[in-house]
Amino acid sequence: MVKENLMEVESRVQAACKRAGRPREDVLLIAVSKTKPVELIREIMETGTKDFGENKVQEMCSKIEEIKEPLNWHLIGHLQRNKVKYIVDKACLIHSVDSLRLAEEIQKEAVKKGVDKVPVLIEVNMAQEASKDGINASETEELVREIAKLPNVQIRGLMTIAPFVDDPEENRVHFQAMRRLRDQLKAMDIPGVEMTELSMGMTNDFEVAIEEGTTMVRVGTAIFGERNYAI
Ligand SMILES: *Cc1c(COP(=O)(O)O)cnc(C)c1O
């Protein structure tokens, strides 16, 4: 079941890439496995998928422990400073850095654990929703310049969680604005900063995000089915 879902998502990713005139390799499909059991992750692994996304540190750590095979674990959810130590050497990419204090904690723990570079994305609240984490677009440059000074924290790009809307077309403006912001920051050539990645697009809107230039989509429900938080 989940394998068929993944194949379906894969063909939609391919179609969106084609519409946008982009090679398929430009877009990383991250299977968001939060709340889902390890057995389902193993089924998805059989397709050759290596990139999985989790939003809770503890859940990610226990899944890493249970699944011994090396995978690329993306931390996509809000990260508390006191949890940084558990994942600084385990996440292939932390998508949700939105403050200097958090980045400083990552720096500190990276040194302790001997991690040369911790790759991160800066989370931007592009639609300025009160309920969402992330910094405002206008604050991004300053934060990037500050974090760039931390030798063991490597900025790779930007991430956003777009509003939950019925019509994904409504999010196109936010994806376009994200891409412009990424391109502006990239043009500044800030030393130590690699502004190549854009992490945006989820089950509801990943095709629009691909059309607007995202390099990573985070897809949960369309692959693993609805999440049941009551269990
Ligand atoms: C849960 C989650 C996703 C996946 O959402 P779906 O709508 O199920 O695809 C993507 N990004 C983040 C940050 C999430 O927390």
Side-chain angles (χ1 to χ4, degrees), residues 32 34 55 76-77 159 161 202-204 218-222 227:
V32 176
K34 65 187 185 195
N55 70 335
I76 60 175
M159 176 271 218
I161 304 175
M202 306 173 24
T203 288
N204 200 39
R218 310 177 306 264
V219 180
T221 308
R227 288 177 291 273

Side-chain angles (χ1 to χ4, degrees), residues 18-49:
K18 201 164 179 199
R19 281 198 298 280
R22 306 179 63 193
R24 171 64 186 88
E25 311 82 70
D26 271 17
V27 181
L28 179 68
L29 172 57
I30 300 168
V32 176
S33 47
K34 65 187 185 195
T35 80
K36 298 296 178 179
V38 161
E39 300 80 71
L40 292 185
I41 296 177
R42 289 196 185 284
E43 283 187 42
I44 295 298
M45 285 165 64
E46 286 169 20
T47 67
T49 299

Side-chain angles (χ1 to χ4, degrees), residues 51-154:
D51 290 86
F52 291 87
E54 290 284 338
N55 70 335
K56 294 215 164 69
V57 166
Q58 202 183 342
E59 185 176 344
M60 186 170 118
C61 288
S62 59
K63 283 173 174 170
I64 290 173
E65 199 142 297
E66 209 176 326
I67 302 171
K68 298 280 189 292
E69 292 91 327
L71 294 170
N72 304 323
W73 291 97
H74 296 254
L75 188 75
I76 60 175
H78 180 67
L79 176 58
Q80 286 171 296
R81 280 181 296 138
N82 62 359
K83 304 252 173 85
V84 167
K85 55 179 175 286
Y86 302 116
I87 53 102
V88 76
D89 56 347
K90 294 195 177 75
C92 72
L93 183 62
I94 300 172
H95 290 233
S96 48
V97 173
D98 64 357
S99 74
L100 181 58
R101 287 173 79 206
L102 175 59
E104 284 171 341
E105 184 68 19
I106 295 171
Q107 168 64 31
K108 193 180 97 194
E109 291 299 328
V111 170
K112 269 198 204 165
K113 295 231 158 62
V115 184
D116 186 35
K117 297 277 180 210
V118 181
V120 305
L121 303 178
I122 305 301
E123 181 172 353
V124 182
N125 185 354
M126 192 43 92
Q128 303 202 12
E129 290 179 284
S131 60
K132 297 253 167 81
D133 295 311
I135 56 161
N136 289 336
S138 61
E139 304 164 330
T140 311
E141 180 188 345
E142 194 187 339
L143 182 62
V144 167
R145 287 190 186 277
E146 287 302 316
I147 295 177
K149 296 175 191 159
L150 305 172
N152 298 55
V153 182
Q154 163 93 80

